[in-house]
Amino acid sequence: MFNDRSPIYLQIADGIKNDILSGTLREDEQVMSTNQYAAFYRINPATAAKGFAQLVDEGVLYKRRGIGMFVSPAAPGKLRAERRERFFAEALEPVLDEAERVGISVDEITHYLGSRR
């Protein structure tokens, strides 16, 4: 599950975000506790707690005292908006810049995309 490209706590946070976006985790659904998560993935509980804390800070998860962590009702929309913004900035902008350099118009790109569906 985990790779060496980024810290494990960030990979935990990204995995939970992906589960929310895919619908595996739904609004107000309880997520595994940090101890359960740590035991399941055989990682340090402090590492799992750091990933969960980041998600709480970002408003993706919320705590119910004495009960556990839950998916924030606003999380799916917030995560989609962030991913859309990142898609345009990181994926589409470089494509449009290259298209401009080689003389491809936005109309040509739109026509090409329309013909692929």
Side-chain angles (χ1 to χ4, degrees):
M1 159 137 199
F2 303 111
N3 61 51
D4 293 334
R5 290 185 289 239
S6 66
I8 291 174
Y9 79 94
L10 291 177
Q11 293 178 60
I12 290 168
D14 286 343
I16 292 171
K17 288 176 181 179
N18 287 336
D19 286 346
I20 292 168
L21 284 170
S22 71
T24 303
L25 288 172
R26 301 192 185 284
E27 298 172 10
D28 292 316
E29 184 174 343
Q30 187 170 11
V31 298
M32 279 193 276
S33 73
T34 55
N35 288 333
Q36 289 171 324
Y37 202 91
F40 185 81
Y41 289 107
R42 296 183 175 174
I43 60 172
N44 187 315
T47 301
K50 189 172 181 180
F52 279 61
Q54 178 175 328
L55 294 171
V56 170
D57 290 345
E58 293 176 6
V60 174
L61 298 180
Y62 67 93
K63 297 178 191 179
R64 285 190 186 162
R65 189 177 178 139
I67 299 175
M69 300 268 199
F70 295 80
V71 176
S72 168
K78 177 182 180 355
L79 293 173
R80 269 191 203 85
E82 289 172 1
R83 291 277 176 96
R84 287 175 56 89
E85 187 174 316
R86 191 168 74 207
F87 171 78
F88 285 116
E90 295 177 6
L92 201 51
E93 281 299 325
V95 169
L96 294 174
D97 290 343
E98 179 63 14
E100 186 177 351
R101 280 191 288 277
V102 298
I104 300 172
S105 71
V106 173
D107 287 340
E108 288 176 280
I109 294 169
T110 303
H111 180 267
Y112 176 79
L113 292 174
S115 69
R116 291 186 46 109
R117 296 210 169 221

